[in-house]
Amino acid sequence: MATGERVGSSLLWPVEARLAALLPDLLVFRKPRGSEPELTTAQGVLLGVHVMGFTALMDRFSLTCKSEQDMDKLAHIFSYYISDIVEHVLCFGGDVLNITGNVLLALWTVEQNQLSDIITLVAKCSLEIQEKFGIYHTREGQDLQLKIGLSAGRISQVIVGDEQRQYFLVIGQDVDDVQLAQRLAQANEIVLSWNCWKLCEQYMFEVEIMREDEAVKLRDMRTIDPFDFDEHFDKCLDYLPHYRTSSDILRTALELDPDSALEKTLRKHIMKNLLKKIDEGQPMEYISEFRTMTMVLVSLEFHKTARMLHFCHLIQEAALYISTVIETGGGQLIRIFVFEKRCTFLCGFGLPGDKKLDECTRALESSFSIFRFCSENLAEIKLVSISITNGPVFCGMVGAVARHEYTVIGPKVSLVTRMITAYPGLVSCDEVTYLRSMLPAYNFKKLPEKMMKNISNPGKMYEYLGHRRCIMFGKRHLARERNKDHPLLDREKELEAFRMAQQGCLQQQKGRAVVYEGGKGYGKSQLLAKINILAQKEGRRVLPMKLKEADSTQCFYAIQTLMAIFFELDTCPACYRQECLHIQLRGVVEEPLHCLFNDLFFVKVMKQWLPELDSNAMKSTVYSISPASSGEDQELYVCTVKDDVNLDTVLLPPLLKEIAVNQLDQLSPEEQLLIKCAAIIGHSFHLDLLQHLLPGWDKQKLLRVLRALMDMHVLRWCSKSQELPAEPILLPSLIEIIEQTKETKKTSDAGCPLRLQEELSLPQTVVLEFGAPLLREAAWELWPKAQLIALHLECACFLRDLACRCGSCCGGDFVPFHRFAVGSTNCSRRTSRFCSYRSTGSVLTPVITDRLQLPSPQDSFQLQTEPSRSLEAFISEHCRTEDEFLDEVNRRLAQTSHKKDRLATKPCHCEQILKSVLSPLTQHCLVIGENTCAFYYLLEAAAASLDLSDNYMAFFYLRKASSLLGQPSAFSFLKKRKVKISQFEEATFCHLRSEVCFNMGQIALAKKLARQALRLLKRSFPWTWFGVLFQTFLEKDWHSCSPSQPSNNPSEKKKSLAVLQQQVHCLSLLGQLYNLEATPSSRRFACLAALMQKNSAEELAHDPQVVSTYVALSQFSQNVGDRDKWLHCEQMAIQKSSLCWFSREGLLATARLLQALAYTKLCLGHLECSIKLGFQAHEICRHLKRPALENLVLSVLFRSAFLKKKFDLCVHVLESQRALISRYHDVLGLACFYSACLDLLLYGKGSLCRPFGECLHFIQHYEHSCVLTSRSNVMLGFHSSLALWFAQHSQWDLFEHHFSKAHQLVKRTNASLFGSHGFVRFLECHVLMLQKLPGGVFMHIPPETHSQTLKYFKEFFSRCATCPVYYQWVSELKASVMRCGKRELMSLTNITRPFDTCLTRIWVEGEFLEEDNSFEDSLGI
């Protein structure tokens, strides 16, 4: 309903009031007499309003391809337009009898002596309607106009039906007159019937007499003194006993006291589908839907000689039979109309709750049964005509709040009315019904095309002849042909059944039958089409045939048709069929047996003596086809989506939607409503938001319905884990649903697996998801667009305040200080078309809600609560030592909870917030058209995904954000964005894209985007070496150039902090990007980025950020081999870490510092200390749920354990690393993992980790990945380890292959741990190559001298000065090369076994003499 929300105060409507709003006052206030048909008469004035142009508008929509969207626009236009007219009629005291199609009929019931005054009142009402609503301009260019007819006199009221269902009609000459007056009127005209003209005060009207038609055209009302219309209006109110008594409501019928007898009477006039939803308490706004229906219109034309009472009895008899037949077929009789002696019955198949997949067949069979009954059994019948159409329609409420009706609107509804006139005396149907019925073609007869008013392309029409037995056979091809570009997914089991049957048939020379059965739409035809192709590829002859349901009534039809196709009789003329059969059977079947085919092929062969026949039974296997499901060994396909395609807005194919809607209609009304509301939220949904969308539902009801849906597997838990979190999150009061264990169920008295908990928490267990995603898509598409937008708006407003970091992360934005940087824009107001619901009914009142706005800085709760300090205080703080820091770490970790491996701090729930809040919030914003807000939350979601190391989801959100902005122009002055965003958001967008590109190996693009982000943040990064020198000079003198005093405005201060945070992130990213390249130029750029990052971080004066920055600078210095700066920056990070334990961000900085210290101790050779620090860092990382940092910690921990020869510990670390990487498709993490596995394999511990074949398969598959090609350090170690493995197995050609690749990478590595390790492995390969050169085993590697090899050792000691842990072994390798150069024997024992030249072989005299497993039990990974 479009404008009913303008009604005033809120009311609590009982069920009687909700029923009364659907019915006219004549029914509400009548006194039942108890016999049907019930006929009464009264005097009154009728007003008929016809909306012109509506059918033409429907025809215009029907010509487009977007029928669902067009139906929505159409229904919205009509409902909005007609609601104003309804309200106007009610204000003048009229009783709206019905709203049918594009016609409204209203009645003023009065005494005969009051007719003239009421005619004046109705005429004034009509003039005002024409003045206010006479022309409605639509955006589609088709204007809607009104023509109005008036009549007055005796009105007959008829009620037909039975005790279960009744229908209200008004008939009589004056009813016919008002319809005739409507037809005589032109656009924006008012026509009075002749009887109405004779009864009115004629002197008061300016009219034009239409003598030929015996009607009067009303021009205007004369202003005659002392006539006062207000006084006349008050006088007329005395004649209208049911006129409203309050200005707050338009109908007295809505204020009636509860009355069970009245309710029982009114319920008979409402369809059972609608009654169920009213009883369920569903708001009227939730009832309307868009769905595909089959419309049936039955027109009975009686002889004009039929008397009134007899005519009513005929209608009663027809109504009872039609409603019985239609309901038996699964449909509903919606409405009955009478004009003159013609009675029309509008029926629908597929209404909400009644959907059937074979509704077209049911409609045709029911129609033909009605046609025969009415033609043969109804007296006085002149002509029976029935038309059937199938297509998308709007079925729901139209009108105002006080008076509305449940109706169907759509082009197919208009078409079905036109077909009655075009094809009288027939059962006609459109082409869609003909095709979807799947009935044999011989049951139909094609009709000639005819022009229909306001319908430009009605399509092909057919006459339905009923079920006929047609003896025939012929070629029936398969309905579908396979598209080679569309693979058949997840049908390997069914295809294998066919292959096995075919193989058995060929080998054993016996027949085989494979029967596939499954529901409609499950893919049987597609499967058989695929089998057709497979058989033809093998040179087999295929006889395709499609059977219809009606063919089952004909004996031997299937075998008859198959054999006719086999013998090629289907294309043979009938006169030559016998001769053709003889030719085909000659030499195959003895001629005396030819007579067996007489009845089968309709031939006449002379019968002869027949020998006894022996036959072999066919073995058949039945395979039931179910919807496709995923399997572990299924072949994977890649779906490429075009740039201009948004998968979120792609509608379901019609057949799939029909299947899903059929399943939805099998649920109860309350289950359907829950599914429809859950579909609004998304594939997964949180229960408190779901309850927010379900007006009037208490917790017990919600849980009861949820339990039923979960038992049917329609819904399921989002996660199998039912463990509740220990700490709350910043969310409002939620419903917590916990599935009890089997033991709890046995001891539970209530027996309900669901319980409530009123807490401020977001437990994972209250997030559910659809077990049938197809059902969710179909339920979402059922909503009208206006209501869809309103519900998405409610969801967005609900989630907006929850779109922040979790409580343990101290709230705040995922993009730091995001809301302060962009501010909040004031938007226009929007009406959320909701009804406020109470347990007794629906209160349809206006609920004005602000349009979705960006988060306001005033809404920042717990947002970056750590106070900012002045730069002077920050610099002059106490500086603590490494020992003090480690003592603090030990003390804090000792204060853990009793739970094993749990820190006492709150666990992080940001991942759940991303999935349950941010991700659906972006979709809600897109649906309601709030693209600016959508862009804001897409950035937040991308930043959250990167925090959680989910690079692919970050790419997904940024791709959506990019599509919102549109394609930028090549010329900056032509650059126009679809969405207006701030410069800060554009910079953030570039930074996030740069980070994603970095993670995906797109280094050049990442650099470009990072520079672009810095430029937008007013912190440019130079492009040339001269610019680097100049910028370095400025940065070194930064303290004197930096601003002295920050702004005193808190909002401006936080806005500047947002900019500084982004600058730090961009500079850190640039440093990492340039650090990947080992060239001097890249090193200069990386050093400048590190210096600028340090200065920006100190200006930010934020402890965790400064600690993280110094950690990054420390590791950068180690990578470039600057030992002094490396240790200095590490010490600075320790000094600034005093306050890092008081927030989650600080804890993260502490974890990074611990990881850096473990890394440092490893590089320096302090392995025991490195392992201990690694444990501590891992404990914090696991609690913080930071996969990227945790993976880095595990890599360091593995390397320390490996060098310490703690192989069991190495295996535990690798198992933890594998489990961590498996959550996200991290190629770099997998490369590190398999590189570590190769280290264990080379040491002879292959049984403890992954097999070599798996490691080799990984590198072969991902070797050319952009992610790995940009990581020379990792790839150098990988290829060198592979070369050593192949050398160990004397596969020298493969050794050469991988050694040559390592040789190309060695120049591009740095002094990092991975780079140093790879260099050591490369040196081992080099030494091994020198050993084998005299044997001539190398064919493609150019020979190198010992002096050339020694240059690599010199380069190692020069480059890897910050990684002395490998010095002893490299020195030993170098000594062996020098001795070999002097033609001395190699000191390594078994030269023929390259395995013995592995890294750990040298540690026989040092501290690594024996394996040490002292830390095995302490690893809680």
Side-chain angles (χ1 to χ4, degrees):
M1 290 174 289
T3 60
E5 295 81 358
R6 297 194 296 270
V7 179
S9 61
S10 61
L11 299 171
L12 301 179
W13 285 12
V15 175
E16 292 84 352
R18 300 188 67 183
L19 297 176
L22 291 162
L23 300 171
D25 288 343
L26 274 180
L27 280 177
V28 177
F29 294 104
R30 78 181 181 93
K31 295 180 180 179
R33 297 186 180 182
S35 61
E36 287 81 17
E38 181 181 325
L39 176 64
T40 58
T41 58
Q43 298 289 331
V45 180
L46 279 170
L47 166 69
V49 181
H50 181 94
V51 181
M52 294 181 62
F54 186 63
T55 305
L57 183 63
M58 283 193 290
D59 178 62
R60 181 169 298 189
F61 281 140
S62 66
L63 295 177
T64 66
C65 298
K66 302 177 180 179
S67 57
E68 298 283 348
Q69 300 177 12
D70 294 337
M71 287 299 97
D72 184 87
K73 292 180 183 178
L74 191 66
H76 180 73
I77 290 171
F78 181 74
S79 183
Y80 183 86
Y81 191 38
I82 206 70
S83 62
D84 288 330
I85 301 172
V86 170
E87 288 181 355
H88 206 78
V89 170
L90 294 176
C91 288
F92 274 80
D95 182 17
V96 178
L97 298 180
N98 55 57
I99 307 169
T100 306
N102 52 355
V103 177
L104 179 146
L105 186 62
L107 173 66
W108 281 256
T109 306
V110 291
E111 299 297 331
Q112 186 171 5
N113 59 355
Q114 301 164 351
L115 285 175
S116 59
D117 290 334
I118 295 299
I119 291 174
T120 303
L121 177 69
V122 178
K124 178 65 174 177
C125 175
S126 303
L127 289 169
E128 288 192 7
I129 289 175
Q130 284 288 18
E131 180 182 354
K132 293 181 178 181
F133 317 114
I135 300 180
Y136 180 81
H137 301 288
T138 65
R139 294 181 179 178
E140 287 71 23
Q142 177 64 53
D143 293 341
L144 300 183
Q145 296 175 292
L146 299 179
K147 55 181 186 177
I148 299 176
L150 300 181
S151 71
R154 183 179 297 273
I155 311 297
S156 297
Q157 307 157 26
V158 183
I159 295 178
V160 298
D162 52 23
E163 286 297 320
Q164 283 72 39
R165 184 76 167 92
Q166 295 181 348
Y167 304 90
F168 173 74
L169 310 172
V170 287
I171 60 176
Q173 183 59 48
D174 291 296
V175 178
D176 297 341
D177 287 346
V178 75
Q179 297 186 41
L180 182 60
Q182 269 184 141
R183 296 182 180 182
L184 293 175
Q186 299 299 316
N188 306 116
E189 291 184 350
I190 303 170
V191 173
L192 282 64
S193 69
W194 193 253
N195 191 44
C196 182
W197 171 246
K198 291 191 296 183
L199 293 172
C200 72
E201 301 287 348
Q202 298 181 2
Y203 67 91
M204 298 185 63
F205 303 104
E206 294 181 4
V207 299
E208 176 186 338
I209 305 297
M210 306 169 67
R211 297 191 181 277
E212 293 183 1
D213 299 313
E214 294 186 350
V216 176
K217 187 181 299 182
L218 177 63
R219 297 293 189 188
D220 201 355
M221 294 186 68
R222 294 172 180 169
T223 55
I224 302 175
D225 295 332
F227 179 76
D228 184 357
F229 181 78
D230 293 337
E231 182 180 343
H232 181 80
F233 185 78
D234 294 336
K235 175 184 176 182
C236 291
L237 292 184
D238 297 334
Y239 308 150
L240 303 172
H242 305 307
Y243 189 75
R244 59 178 180 171
T245 57
S246 170
S247 59
D248 296 332
I249 195 164
L250 291 176
R251 291 181 66 197
T252 309
L254 305 181
E255 297 180 316
L256 294 175
D257 295 329
D259 185 342
S260 59
L262 175 62
E263 179 185 345
K264 182 178 179 181
T265 301
L266 297 182
R267 293 174 69 90
K268 297 178 182 179
H269 295 271
I270 310 295
M271 287 191 304
K272 64 178 183 180
N273 311 60
L274 187 55
L275 276 177
K276 290 180 182 179
K277 298 189 176 184
I278 293 175
D279 294 338
E280 172 58 30
Q282 294 187 19
M284 290 301 175
E285 292 82 354
Y286 282 31
I287 293 176
S288 300
E289 290 183 359
F290 285 105
R291 54 171 55 216
T292 299
M293 286 182 57
T294 302
M295 305 306 303
V296 176
L297 193 65
V298 180
S299 175
L300 306 180
E301 187 175 347
F302 296 91
H303 292 288
K304 294 186 178 180
T305 57
R307 295 182 178 274
M308 178 66 71
L309 185 58
H310 184 48
F311 181 52
C312 294
H313 280 283
L314 290 174
I315 296 176
Q316 164 78 3
E317 185 180 357
L320 288 177
Y321 184 82
I322 291 173
S323 62
T324 301
V325 172
I326 293 295
E327 289 180 13
T328 302
Q332 291 287 321
L333 174 55
I334 301 174
R335 187 155 298 151
I336 304 176
F337 319 96
V338 177
F339 174 63
E340 294 181 340
K341 294 297 181 179
R342 174 178 292 176
C343 184
T344 306
F345 302 81
L346 179 63
C347 311
F349 288 80
L351 284 163
D354 288 341
K355 192 66 179 177
K356 300 291 187 298
L357 293 177
D358 58 344
E359 64 183 36
C360 288
T361 305
R362 292 168 177 258
L364 288 167
E365 293 174 350
S366 301
S367 299
F368 196 78
S369 175
I370 293 170
F371 182 82
R372 285 193 303 181
F373 172 82
C374 295
S375 302
E376 298 171 2
N377 299 290
L378 288 182
E380 303 290 340
I381 195 72
K382 181 180 179 181
L383 186 67
V384 180
S385 305
I386 303 179
S387 56
I388 305 124
T389 59
N390 178 275
V393 298
F394 166 84
C395 48
M397 300 299 179
V398 295
V401 174
R403 179 70 177 95
H404 45 261
E405 288 208 2
Y406 190 85
T407 188
V408 288
I409 299 173
K412 291 294 185 177
V413 182
S414 299
L415 178 62
V416 79
T417 59
R418 297 289 189 261
M419 288 169 61
I420 286 288
T421 307
Y423 304 104
L426 302 176
V427 179
S428 58
C429 68
D430 64 349
E431 187 177 18
V432 178
T433 307
Y434 163 72
L435 294 174
R436 290 193 175 183
S437 69
M438 303 293 289
L439 293 174
Y442 55 77
N443 287 343
F444 296 87
K445 175 184 176 182
K446 189 175 181 181
L447 295 172
E449 296 183 5
K450 293 187 179 181
M451 296 294 295
M452 300 183 189
K453 183 180 178 182
N454 290 327
I455 297 180
S456 58
N457 184 23
K460 298 177 182 178
M461 297 297 165
Y462 296 85
E463 178 188 359
Y464 180 61
L465 306 174
H467 276 309
R468 297 193 303 166
R469 188 174 185 275
C470 183
I471 301 175
M472 60 174 291
F473 67 92
K475 191 171 183 178
R476 294 283 188 88
H477 288 287
L478 288 174
R480 296 186 183 275
E481 295 182 1
R482 288 297 303 161
N483 189 330
K484 296 181 180 179
D485 298 328
H486 298 167
L488 185 67
L489 302 179
D490 201 36
R491 292 300 181 206
E492 288 301 322
K493 177 183 176 182
E494 289 79 8
L495 291 175
E496 183 62 24
F498 163 74
R499 295 189 186 99
M500 294 296 294
Q502 183 185 28
Q503 184 178 1
C505 179
L506 295 175
Q507 292 177 352
Q508 303 178 15
Q509 297 296 315
K510 291 184 179 180
R512 292 289 188 274
V514 181
V515 181
Y516 298 101
E517 64 176 10
K520 184 177 181 181
Y522 278 11
K524 301 185 297 297
S525 299
Q526 293 283 4
L527 178 63
L528 294 178
K530 178 67 175 179
I531 290 175
N532 187 1
I533 294 176
L534 293 176
Q536 287 181 352
K537 283 183 178 180
E538 297 179 5
R540 313 298 177 195
R541 185 182 177 191
V542 179
L543 307 181
M545 183 183 68
K546 179 183 178 184
L547 297 176
K548 297 186 177 181
E549 185 176 354
D551 296 331
S552 61
T553 61
Q554 185 171 336
C555 297
F556 301 108
Y557 178 80
I559 190 65
Q560 174 196 62
T561 307
L562 278 173
M563 293 184 68
I565 298 172
F566 180 78
F567 290 129
E568 299 180 353
L569 301 180
D570 55 324
T571 58
C572 175
C575 57
Y576 297 109
R577 191 180 303 154
Q578 182 171 330
E579 181 181 352
C580 181
L581 181 62
H582 272 297
I583 295 174
Q584 295 286 347
L585 297 179
R586 188 175 300 153
V588 179
V589 179
E590 296 180 9
E591 190 167 345
L593 300 180
H594 289 189
C595 62
L596 293 176
F597 298 97
N598 285 355
D599 295 334
L600 198 60
F601 297 134
F602 312 118
V603 294
K604 294 182 179 180
V605 179
M606 294 293 295
K607 293 185 179 182
Q608 302 180 22
W609 176 81
L610 300 178
E612 185 176 352
L613 299 178
D614 185 19
S615 60
N616 292 325
M618 295 177 65
K619 297 181 180 179
S620 64
T621 306
V622 178
Y623 286 85
S624 178
I625 301 179
S626 58
S629 58
S630 60
E632 293 183 359
D633 300 327
Q634 296 297 320
E635 185 177 358
L636 298 179
Y637 293 88
V638 176
C639 177
T640 304
V641 182
K642 295 182 179 179
D643 292 336
D644 57 344
V645 174
N646 184 3
L647 293 179
D648 296 322
T649 59
V650 174
L651 299 179
L652 286 176
L655 182 57
L656 281 180
K657 183 179 178 181
E658 292 286 288
I659 295 171
V661 172
N662 174 52
Q663 295 177 354
L664 185 67
D665 280 358
Q666 294 176 17
L667 304 176
S668 67
E670 56 185 12
E671 292 168 348
Q672 292 179 34
L673 180 60
L674 187 145
I675 291 296
K676 288 173 63 179
C677 290
I680 295 289
I681 304 174
H683 176 68
S684 59
F685 52 91
H686 206 286
L687 293 193
D688 65 323
L689 178 53
L690 177 61
Q691 188 176 13
H692 181 71
L693 296 184
L694 292 167
W697 282 44
D698 56 20
K699 297 173 184 177
Q700 287 78 9
K701 180 178 180 180
L702 176 65
L703 299 179
R704 175 175 55 81
V705 179
L706 278 173
R707 183 183 182 187
L709 290 172
M710 293 177 68
D711 290 342
M712 292 184 286
H713 306 289
V714 175
L715 301 177
R716 64 190 178 197
W717 297 114
C718 212
S719 172
K720 294 182 179 179
S721 172
Q722 300 298 317
E723 182 182 358
L724 294 179
E727 296 295 335
I729 300 181
L730 293 171
L731 281 182
S733 180
L734 305 178
I735 304 168
E736 180 177 345
I737 298 184
I738 307 169
E739 186 177 356
Q740 299 175 341
T741 59
K742 294 182 179 179
E743 292 76 10
T744 308
K745 284 183 179 180
K746 293 178 181 178
T747 58
S748 174
D749 294 332
C752 177
L754 307 172
R755 67 180 177 86
L756 307 177
Q757 180 179 345
E758 294 288 338
E759 288 184 356
L760 296 177
S761 60
L762 177 58
Q764 188 177 8
T765 50
V766 298
V767 178
L768 278 79
E769 66 181 8
F770 279 87
L774 189 66
L775 201 63
R776 183 251 162 184
E777 295 290 337
W780 186 85
E781 292 180 20
L782 290 176
W783 287 102
K785 187 175 182 180
Q787 189 65 25
L788 192 72
I789 291 176
L791 288 169
H792 277 286
L793 178 60
E794 291 292 329
C795 293
C797 292
F798 181 87
L799 294 173
R800 180 185 61 180
D801 295 332
L802 312 178
C804 59
R805 292 183 181 273
C806 65
S808 59
C809 295
C810 300
D813 302 315
F814 287 95
V815 175
F817 302 102
H818 193 175
R819 67 188 68 195
F820 296 97
V822 300
S824 180
T825 356
N826 292 326
C827 303
S828 59
R829 298 174 72 81
R830 165 180 296 183
T831 300
S832 178
R833 306 194 182 282
F834 270 74
C835 66
S836 303
Y837 177 85
R838 299 294 183 272
S839 59
T840 54
S842 174
V843 183
L844 305 175
T845 55
V847 180
I848 306 299
T849 309
D850 285 340
R851 287 184 66 185
L852 187 65
Q853 299 180 4
L854 296 176
S856 170
Q858 287 73 26
D859 298 335
S860 56
F861 52 94
Q862 296 192 23
L863 191 62
Q864 283 89 11
T865 55
E866 182 179 339
S868 298
R869 297 181 288 161
S870 65
L871 186 59
E872 292 78 7
F874 178 77
I875 295 175
S876 62
E877 68 173 342
H878 167 69
C879 299
R880 60 177 176 174
T881 64
E882 179 180 333
D883 292 336
E884 292 174 341
F885 169 73
L886 294 179
D887 290 341
E888 177 72 8
V889 170
N890 293 330
R891 186 174 63 83
R892 292 281 180 177
L893 289 178
Q895 298 174 355
T896 59
S897 64
H898 296 292
K899 293 183 179 180
K900 185 179 179 182
D901 300 327
R902 283 279 182 177
L903 288 175
T905 54
K906 300 175 181 179
C908 177
H909 294 282
C910 288
E911 185 174 2
Q912 291 95 318
I913 289 178
L914 172 62
K915 293 179 180 178
S916 303
V917 178
L918 283 176
S919 184
L921 183 54
T922 60
Q923 185 60 27
H924 296 316
C925 294
L926 291 172
V927 172
I928 65 179
E930 295 289 351
N931 291 339
T932 302
C933 294
F935 187 83
Y936 175 94
Y937 291 114
L938 283 170
L939 293 184
E940 287 286 299
S945 300
L946 287 172
D947 279 353
L948 297 168
S949 303
D950 195 343
N951 193 67
Y952 291 93
M953 285 308 299
F955 173 78
F956 171 77
Y957 293 124
L958 291 174
R959 180 71 179 269
K960 272 191 173 183
S962 180
S963 65
L964 279 181
L965 294 179
Q967 296 294 330
S969 172
F971 304 97
S972 58
F973 59 88
L974 294 177
K975 184 178 179 181
K976 290 185 179 180
R977 297 288 195 188
K978 294 181 180 179
V979 179
K980 187 176 181 181
I981 60 174
S982 65
Q983 189 168 333
F984 173 82
E985 284 196 297
E986 188 172 0
T988 304
F989 179 55
C990 291
H991 159 244
L992 294 174
R993 290 171 63 201
S994 176
E995 190 167 349
V996 169
C997 289
F998 170 66
N999 295 335
M1000 298 177 73
Q1002 302 290 339
I1003 306 303
L1005 182 57
K1007 289 179 183 178
K1008 178 182 177 181
L1009 290 170
R1011 288 176 180 274
Q1012 186 179 348
L1014 282 173
R1015 178 176 55 80
L1016 292 168
L1017 294 169
K1018 298 180 172 53
R1019 189 109 160 93
S1020 297
F1021 195 79
W1023 287 90
T1024 63
W1025 67 268
F1026 180 77
V1028 170
L1029 292 176
F1030 183 73
Q1031 188 69 31
T1032 302
F1033 172 78
L1034 293 179
E1035 293 296 327
K1036 287 182 177 179
D1037 198 27
W1038 169 76
H1039 285 289
S1040 61
C1041 302
S1042 61
S1044 56
Q1045 286 294 336
S1047 172
N1048 292 326
N1049 187 340
S1051 180
E1052 288 297 323
K1053 184 177 180 180
K1054 290 187 176 180
K1055 186 174 182 179
S1056 64
L1057 290 178
V1059 174
L1060 281 172
Q1061 286 271 17
Q1062 289 302 309
Q1063 288 178 358
V1064 170
H1065 293 327
C1066 291
L1067 291 167
S1068 173
L1069 186 59
L1070 270 177
Q1072 295 178 63
L1073 288 166
Y1074 280 107
N1075 194 33
L1076 293 176
E1077 303 172 7
T1079 63
S1081 174
S1082 297
R1083 181 171 178 175
R1084 283 194 293 267
F1085 280 108
C1087 289
L1088 175 60
L1091 181 59
M1092 294 174 69
Q1093 178 188 356
K1094 178 182 74 71
N1095 291 340
S1096 295
E1098 291 182 353
E1099 184 180 354
L1100 187 62
H1102 185 56
D1103 290 280
Q1105 185 64 63
V1106 173
V1107 171
S1108 298
T1109 299
Y1110 274 113
V1111 167
L1113 292 177
S1114 169
Q1115 298 202 346
F1116 163 73
S1117 302
Q1118 191 276 333
N1119 291 346
V1120 298
D1122 191 341
R1123 181 186 180 95
D1124 295 336
K1125 194 172 182 180
W1126 166 34
L1127 299 178
H1128 169 74
C1129 291
E1130 185 177 283
Q1131 188 59 40
M1132 290 296 297
I1134 294 172
Q1135 291 175 5
K1136 301 296 182 182
S1137 63
S1138 57
L1139 296 178
C1140 283
W1141 284 96
F1142 300 104
S1143 67
R1144 191 173 191 85
E1145 188 179 3
L1147 199 61
L1148 177 61
T1150 302
R1152 287 172 177 159
L1153 181 54
L1154 282 172
Q1155 181 271 332
L1157 286 173
Y1159 183 92
T1160 298
K1161 301 304 179 184
L1162 169 60
C1163 292
L1164 295 177
H1166 307 308
L1167 302 180
E1168 293 282 3
C1169 184
S1170 175
I1171 292 174
K1172 180 179 179 181
L1173 292 172
F1175 282 143
Q1176 294 174 336
H1178 179 263
E1179 178 68 18
I1180 300 176
C1181 288
R1182 186 177 56 170
H1183 179 75
L1184 294 176
K1185 297 182 180 179
R1186 296 295 175 132
L1189 183 58
E1190 186 178 352
N1191 187 37
L1192 186 58
V1193 170
L1194 289 174
S1195 296
V1196 174
L1197 190 56
F1198 169 83
R1199 192 59 54 197
S1200 300
F1202 178 74
L1203 295 179
K1204 194 64 177 172
K1205 299 177 67 176
K1206 299 176 181 293
F1207 299 120
D1208 290 338
L1209 178 58
C1210 290
V1211 174
H1212 284 301
V1213 171
L1214 288 180
E1215 289 174 352
S1216 300
Q1217 195 173 21
R1218 177 71 176 184
L1220 181 67
I1221 295 171
S1222 63
R1223 294 184 57 192
Y1224 309 102
H1225 191 69
D1226 184 8
V1227 176
L1228 181 60
L1230 284 172
C1232 298
F1233 169 79
Y1234 283 116
S1235 179
C1237 291
L1238 283 173
D1239 286 333
L1240 286 181
L1241 286 167
L1242 288 173
Y1243 199 81
K1245 301 295 180 179
S1247 60
L1248 301 177
C1249 60
R1250 313 302 295 179
F1252 175 77
E1254 185 177 329
C1255 302
L1256 182 62
H1257 175 74
F1258 168 79
I1259 197 61
Q1260 290 173 343
H1261 189 70
Y1262 290 102
E1263 180 179 3
H1264 301 292
S1265 165
C1266 294
V1267 178
L1268 296 186
T1269 54
S1270 63
R1271 306 290 177 144
S1272 303
N1273 295 323
V1274 177
M1275 296 305 293
L1276 174 62
F1278 212 119
H1279 283 295
S1280 298
S1281 296
L1282 285 174
L1284 287 173
W1285 173 269
F1286 287 121
Q1288 177 180 336
H1289 293 79
S1290 301
Q1291 299 179 21
W1292 300 110
D1293 52 341
L1294 293 175
F1295 170 85
E1296 290 185 76
H1297 172 73
H1298 288 283
F1299 178 73
S1300 61
K1301 290 187 176 182
H1303 195 278
Q1304 297 171 5
L1305 292 169
V1306 71
K1307 296 293 184 181
R1308 293 155 49 188
T1309 58
N1310 54 28
S1312 66
L1313 182 63
F1314 279 108
S1316 300
H1317 174 73
F1319 208 151
V1320 172
R1321 286 292 189 212
F1322 173 75
L1323 291 175
E1324 290 179 332
C1325 292
H1326 232 290
V1327 173
L1328 181 63
M1329 185 188 66
L1330 287 178
Q1331 297 179 39
K1332 291 297 180 179
L1333 274 178
V1337 296
F1338 302 116
M1339 304 297 296
H1340 306 289
I1341 301 178
E1344 293 190 5
T1345 64
H1346 292 79
S1347 59
Q1348 289 175 323
T1349 304
L1350 290 175
K1351 288 181 181 179
Y1352 283 110
F1353 285 95
K1354 182 178 180 180
E1355 183 179 351
F1356 174 83
F1357 287 112
S1358 173
R1359 182 194 303 176
C1360 304
T1362 54
C1363 204
V1365 68
Y1366 294 109
Y1367 276 12
Q1368 185 180 1
W1369 171 234
V1370 174
S1371 299
E1372 196 67 31
L1373 286 175
K1374 181 180 178 182
S1376 66
V1377 173
M1378 295 176 67
R1379 288 194 296 270
C1380 184
K1382 297 177 182 180
R1383 299 186 179 276
E1384 296 179 359
L1385 292 177
M1386 299 290 290
S1387 63
L1388 303 174
T1389 53
N1390 191 351
I1391 297 179
T1392 61
R1393 290 190 62 211
F1395 158 73
D1396 289 336
T1397 66
C1398 290
L1399 178 62
T1400 52
R1401 170 65 183 84
I1402 195 65
W1403 295 321
V1404 292
E1405 298 179 356
E1407 56 178 336
F1408 311 105
L1409 180 60
E1410 297 180 357
E1411 293 188 21
D1412 185 359
N1413 297 321
S1414 60
F1415 279 90
E1416 290 177 18
D1417 298 331
S1418 60
L1419 182 62
I1421 303 175

